Amino acid sequence: FNNYVTDSSDNSYTPIPRVTDPETNETYIDFYFGLILGWQTQQRFPGQCYTDTLNYYKTVNDTINIFFLSWLPSYWFNLLDRVRINIDSYSKSLQSCQIHSILTKLQRMVTVDGVIETFARLLTQVAFLKIYMDKFSENFAVGNFTVAGTQLGLLTSAIVGVTVN
């Protein structure tokens, strides 16, 4: 495809301006991993939850690639082994992300005592919650999804009261 137009007056070429992705060139997957970074106790470096979740998605990608080759009988064992690796990787990410403690805390939050505890915790953090929400909306609007996800992770971690490693 030609991205140049001809100017009829002097026969010189000028490029047509292209609409490009945001400067950050990030996707919604970066938002998800930013959310995991926000749930961590330390946001500067990826923790075990971040690493295990990334490893899980890589194993799913490998399994899909093997699946497309599984019409050959020599790949049947590889496909079954990849499924086993996926289950193992998924359970490791659930354990390192402490999903059980998050779900337990969410279950407690729907009780009267949990609502009182949550509001008491949030009253002391109103200024921080406002900062997190402002940074989230600014970064999400410009397409900086990693920072937006981190800010939303910090916000939800403060609301729920659970951080991951």
Side-chain angles (χ1 to χ4, degrees):
F1 300 129
N2 189 0
N3 64 346
Y4 295 98
V5 288
T6 306
D7 187 1
S8 61
S9 63
D10 61 350
N11 290 333
S12 64
Y13 293 106
T14 56
I16 296 174
R18 293 184 182 202
V19 178
T20 59
D21 293 333
E23 291 180 14
T24 54
N25 199 19
E26 293 186 348
T27 63
Y28 291 107
I29 300 297
D30 296 312
F31 178 76
Y32 175 68
F33 283 111
L35 188 68
I36 293 173
L37 280 176
W39 275 88
Q40 292 181 169
T41 52
Q42 174 61 262
Q43 285 81 33
R44 296 188 189 272
F45 306 104
Q48 191 65 37
C49 176
Y50 184 92
T51 307
D52 288 343
T53 304
L54 183 63
N55 186 32
Y56 170 67
Y57 285 113
K58 285 181 181 178
T59 60
V60 168
N61 185 36
D62 293 342
T63 303
I64 290 170
N65 291 334
I66 292 292
F67 177 75
F68 288 126
L69 295 173
S70 65
W71 60 275
L72 293 170
S74 60
Y75 284 97
W76 292 353
F77 177 75
N78 290 344
L79 179 65
L80 293 176
D81 191 41
R82 293 304 313 172
V83 169
R84 181 193 59 81
I85 291 171
N86 283 343
I87 294 169
D88 184 42
S89 180
Y90 181 68
S91 65
K92 188 175 180 185
S93 70
L94 287 179
Q95 182 182 9
S96 66
C97 292
Q98 301 169 358
I99 299 298
H100 61 282
S101 64
I102 294 170
L103 292 176
T104 303
K105 193 71 165 190
L106 287 174
Q107 179 184 3
R108 177 169 164 71
M109 283 178 63
V110 297
T111 64
V112 174
D113 293 337
V115 170
I116 292 171
E117 176 187 330
T118 302
F119 281 125
R121 185 176 54 252
L122 294 180
L123 280 176
T124 62
Q125 299 180 2
V126 170
F128 294 113
L129 297 175
K130 172 89 169 96
I131 291 170
Y132 296 152
M133 197 62 199
D134 290 343
K135 287 183 179 178
F136 163 71
S137 28
E138 289 170 8
N139 287 300
F140 193 78
V142 297
N144 193 356
F145 294 125
T146 302
V147 176
T150 303
Q151 296 304 317
L152 186 64
L154 287 167
L155 178 72
T156 54
S157 175
I159 292 171
V160 176
V162 175
T163 57
V164 298
N165 297 325

PDB file of all heavy atoms in Angstrom, residues 66 69-81:
ATOM      1  N   ILE A  66       1.098 -26.762  20.813  1.00  0.00           N
ATOM      2  CA  ILE A  66       1.161 -28.223  20.719  1.00  0.00           C
ATOM      3  C   ILE A  66      -0.190 -28.779  20.252  1.00  0.00           C
ATOM      4  O   ILE A  66      -0.245 -29.758  19.515  1.00  0.00           O
ATOM      5  CB  ILE A  66       1.566 -28.836  22.075  1.00  0.00           C
ATOM      6  CG1 ILE A  66       3.007 -28.472  22.414  1.00  0.00           C
ATOM      7  CG2 ILE A  66       1.396 -30.336  22.099  1.00  0.00           C
ATOM      8  CD1 ILE A  66       4.042 -29.115  21.523  1.00  0.00           C
ATOM      9  N   LEU A  69      -0.542 -29.144  16.665  1.00  0.00           N
ATOM     10  CA  LEU A  69       0.259 -30.227  16.102  1.00  0.00           C
ATOM     11  C   LEU A  69      -0.220 -31.601  16.560  1.00  0.00           C
ATOM     12  O   LEU A  69       0.344 -32.617  16.168  1.00  0.00           O
ATOM     13  CB  LEU A  69       1.726 -30.063  16.501  1.00  0.00           C
ATOM     14  CG  LEU A  69       2.440 -28.831  15.943  1.00  0.00           C
ATOM     15  CD1 LEU A  69       3.823 -28.705  16.562  1.00  0.00           C
ATOM     16  CD2 LEU A  69       2.539 -28.932  14.435  1.00  0.00           C
ATOM     17  N   SER A  70      -1.246 -31.633  17.387  1.00  0.00           N
ATOM     18  CA  SER A  70      -1.646 -32.901  17.990  1.00  0.00           C
ATOM     19  C   SER A  70      -2.370 -33.843  17.036  1.00  0.00           C
ATOM     20  O   SER A  70      -2.740 -34.938  17.428  1.00  0.00           O
ATOM     21  CB  SER A  70      -2.511 -32.654  19.217  1.00  0.00           C
ATOM     22  OG  SER A  70      -3.713 -32.041  18.847  1.00  0.00           O
ATOM     23  N   TRP A  71      -2.568 -33.452  15.827  1.00  0.00           N
ATOM     24  CA  TRP A  71      -3.141 -34.388  14.862  1.00  0.00           C
ATOM     25  C   TRP A  71      -2.133 -35.482  14.528  1.00  0.00           C
ATOM     26  O   TRP A  71      -2.513 -36.550  14.047  1.00  0.00           O
ATOM     27  CB  TRP A  71      -3.613 -33.664  13.606  1.00  0.00           C
ATOM     28  CG  TRP A  71      -2.533 -32.915  12.869  1.00  0.00           C
ATOM     29  CD1 TRP A  71      -2.097 -31.656  13.122  1.00  0.00           C
ATOM     30  CD2 TRP A  71      -1.748 -33.415  11.796  1.00  0.00           C
ATOM     31  NE1 TRP A  71      -1.079 -31.319  12.268  1.00  0.00           N
ATOM     32  CE2 TRP A  71      -0.840 -32.391  11.424  1.00  0.00           C
ATOM     33  CE3 TRP A  71      -1.704 -34.614  11.096  1.00  0.00           C
ATOM     34  CZ2 TRP A  71       0.083 -32.533  10.415  1.00  0.00           C
ATOM     35  CZ3 TRP A  71      -0.779 -34.743  10.071  1.00  0.00           C
ATOM     36  CH2 TRP A  71       0.103 -33.716   9.738  1.00  0.00           C
ATOM     37  N   LEU A  72      -0.859 -35.208  14.815  1.00  0.00           N
ATOM     38  CA  LEU A  72       0.157 -36.252  14.649  1.00  0.00           C
ATOM     39  C   LEU A  72       0.211 -37.108  15.917  1.00  0.00           C
ATOM     40  O   LEU A  72       0.269 -36.579  17.025  1.00  0.00           O
ATOM     41  CB  LEU A  72       1.534 -35.610  14.422  1.00  0.00           C
ATOM     42  CG  LEU A  72       1.714 -34.841  13.121  1.00  0.00           C
ATOM     43  CD1 LEU A  72       3.014 -34.067  13.158  1.00  0.00           C
ATOM     44  CD2 LEU A  72       1.714 -35.811  11.958  1.00  0.00           C
ATOM     45  N   PRO A  73       0.197 -38.407  15.797  1.00  0.00           N
ATOM     46  CA  PRO A  73       0.223 -39.266  16.993  1.00  0.00           C
ATOM     47  C   PRO A  73       1.470 -39.068  17.858  1.00  0.00           C
ATOM     48  O   PRO A  73       1.413 -39.274  19.065  1.00  0.00           O
ATOM     49  CB  PRO A  73       0.179 -40.685  16.413  1.00  0.00           C
ATOM     50  CG  PRO A  73      -0.431 -40.534  15.074  1.00  0.00           C
ATOM     51  CD  PRO A  73      -0.012 -39.185  14.579  1.00  0.00           C
ATOM     52  N   SER A  74       2.546 -38.618  17.274  1.00  0.00           N
ATOM     53  CA  SER A  74       3.757 -38.426  18.073  1.00  0.00           C
ATOM     54  C   SER A  74       3.630 -37.254  19.047  1.00  0.00           C
ATOM     55  O   SER A  74       4.419 -37.142  19.981  1.00  0.00           O
ATOM     56  CB  SER A  74       4.961 -38.211  17.154  1.00  0.00           C
ATOM     57  OG  SER A  74       4.770 -37.066  16.352  1.00  0.00           O
ATOM     58  N   TYR A  75       2.633 -36.383  18.885  1.00  0.00           N
ATOM     59  CA  TYR A  75       2.442 -35.236  19.774  1.00  0.00           C
ATOM     60  C   TYR A  75       1.359 -35.469  20.822  1.00  0.00           C
ATOM     61  O   TYR A  75       1.095 -34.576  21.628  1.00  0.00           O
ATOM     62  CB  TYR A  75       2.091 -33.988  18.958  1.00  0.00           C
ATOM     63  CG  TYR A  75       3.273 -33.380  18.266  1.00  0.00           C
ATOM     64  CD1 TYR A  75       3.534 -33.660  16.935  1.00  0.00           C
ATOM     65  CD2 TYR A  75       4.145 -32.539  18.950  1.00  0.00           C
ATOM     66  CE1 TYR A  75       4.617 -33.111  16.290  1.00  0.00           C
ATOM     67  CE2 TYR A  75       5.234 -31.982  18.315  1.00  0.00           C
ATOM     68  CZ  TYR A  75       5.467 -32.270  16.991  1.00  0.00           C
ATOM     69  OH  TYR A  75       6.551 -31.726  16.362  1.00  0.00           O
ATOM     70  N   TRP A  76       0.713 -36.628  20.824  1.00  0.00           N
ATOM     71  CA  TRP A  76      -0.353 -36.866  21.780  1.00  0.00           C
ATOM     72  C   TRP A  76       0.154 -36.835  23.213  1.00  0.00           C
ATOM     73  O   TRP A  76      -0.479 -36.238  24.086  1.00  0.00           O
ATOM     74  CB  TRP A  76      -1.037 -38.203  21.500  1.00  0.00           C
ATOM     75  CG  TRP A  76      -1.816 -38.223  20.225  1.00  0.00           C
ATOM     76  CD1 TRP A  76      -2.082 -37.168  19.395  1.00  0.00           C
ATOM     77  CD2 TRP A  76      -2.422 -39.353  19.634  1.00  0.00           C
ATOM     78  NE1 TRP A  76      -2.811 -37.578  18.327  1.00  0.00           N
ATOM     79  CE2 TRP A  76      -3.050 -38.920  18.433  1.00  0.00           C
ATOM     80  CE3 TRP A  76      -2.509 -40.692  19.967  1.00  0.00           C
ATOM     81  CZ2 TRP A  76      -3.746 -39.761  17.603  1.00  0.00           C
ATOM     82  CZ3 TRP A  76      -3.212 -41.541  19.145  1.00  0.00           C
ATOM     83  CH2 TRP A  76      -3.823 -41.085  17.977  1.00  0.00           C
ATOM     84  N   PHE A  77       1.273 -37.478  23.447  1.00  0.00           N
ATOM     85  CA  PHE A  77       1.816 -37.461  24.803  1.00  0.00           C
ATOM     86  C   PHE A  77       2.233 -36.048  25.196  1.00  0.00           C
ATOM     87  O   PHE A  77       2.030 -35.634  26.338  1.00  0.00           O
ATOM     88  CB  PHE A  77       3.012 -38.415  24.929  1.00  0.00           C
ATOM     89  CG  PHE A  77       3.642 -38.364  26.282  1.00  0.00           C
ATOM     90  CD1 PHE A  77       3.036 -38.964  27.364  1.00  0.00           C
ATOM     91  CD2 PHE A  77       4.831 -37.667  26.476  1.00  0.00           C
ATOM     92  CE1 PHE A  77       3.608 -38.894  28.613  1.00  0.00           C
ATOM     93  CE2 PHE A  77       5.402 -37.599  27.728  1.00  0.00           C
ATOM     94  CZ  PHE A  77       4.788 -38.210  28.793  1.00  0.00           C
ATOM     95  N   ASN A  78       2.809 -35.307  24.262  1.00  0.00           N
ATOM     96  CA  ASN A  78       3.211 -33.930  24.556  1.00  0.00           C
ATOM     97  C   ASN A  78       2.009 -33.067  24.937  1.00  0.00           C
ATOM     98  O   ASN A  78       2.097 -32.232  25.834  1.00  0.00           O
ATOM     99  CB  ASN A  78       3.929 -33.302  23.362  1.00  0.00           C
ATOM    100  CG  ASN A  78       5.291 -33.898  23.131  1.00  0.00           C
ATOM    101  OD1 ASN A  78       5.834 -34.553  24.004  1.00  0.00           O
ATOM    102  ND2 ASN A  78       5.834 -33.686  21.943  1.00  0.00           N
ATOM    103  N   LEU A  79       0.880 -33.284  24.253  1.00  0.00           N
ATOM    104  CA  LEU A  79      -0.321 -32.521  24.570  1.00  0.00           C
ATOM    105  C   LEU A  79      -0.816 -32.850  25.973  1.00  0.00           C
ATOM    106  O   LEU A  79      -1.137 -31.954  26.755  1.00  0.00           O
ATOM    107  CB  LEU A  79      -1.414 -32.800  23.541  1.00  0.00           C
ATOM    108  CG  LEU A  79      -2.735 -32.072  23.790  1.00  0.00           C
ATOM    109  CD1 LEU A  79      -2.553 -30.564  23.657  1.00  0.00           C
ATOM    110  CD2 LEU A  79      -3.799 -32.574  22.843  1.00  0.00           C
ATOM    111  N   LEU A  80      -0.851 -34.122  26.309  1.00  0.00           N
ATOM    112  CA  LEU A  80      -1.284 -34.509  27.655  1.00  0.00           C
ATOM    113  C   LEU A  80      -0.333 -33.993  28.723  1.00  0.00           C
ATOM    114  O   LEU A  80      -0.754 -33.562  29.800  1.00  0.00           O
ATOM    115  CB  LEU A  80      -1.414 -36.026  27.742  1.00  0.00           C
ATOM    116  CG  LEU A  80      -2.529 -36.643  26.902  1.00  0.00           C
ATOM    117  CD1 LEU A  80      -2.486 -38.158  27.002  1.00  0.00           C
ATOM    118  CD2 LEU A  80      -3.869 -36.099  27.322  1.00  0.00           C
ATOM    119  N   ASP A  81       0.948 -34.005  28.420  1.00  0.00           N
ATOM    120  CA  ASP A  81       1.928 -33.474  29.365  1.00  0.00           C
ATOM    121  C   ASP A  81       1.762 -31.961  29.524  1.00  0.00           C
ATOM    122  O   ASP A  81       1.891 -31.425  30.625  1.00  0.00           O
ATOM    123  CB  ASP A  81       3.342 -33.803  28.886  1.00  0.00           C
ATOM    124  CG  ASP A  81       4.380 -33.520  29.933  1.00  0.00           C
ATOM    125  OD1 ASP A  81       4.131 -33.828  31.124  1.00  0.00           O
ATOM    126  OD2 ASP A  81       5.446 -32.967  29.574  1.00  0.00           O
TER     127      ASP A  81
END
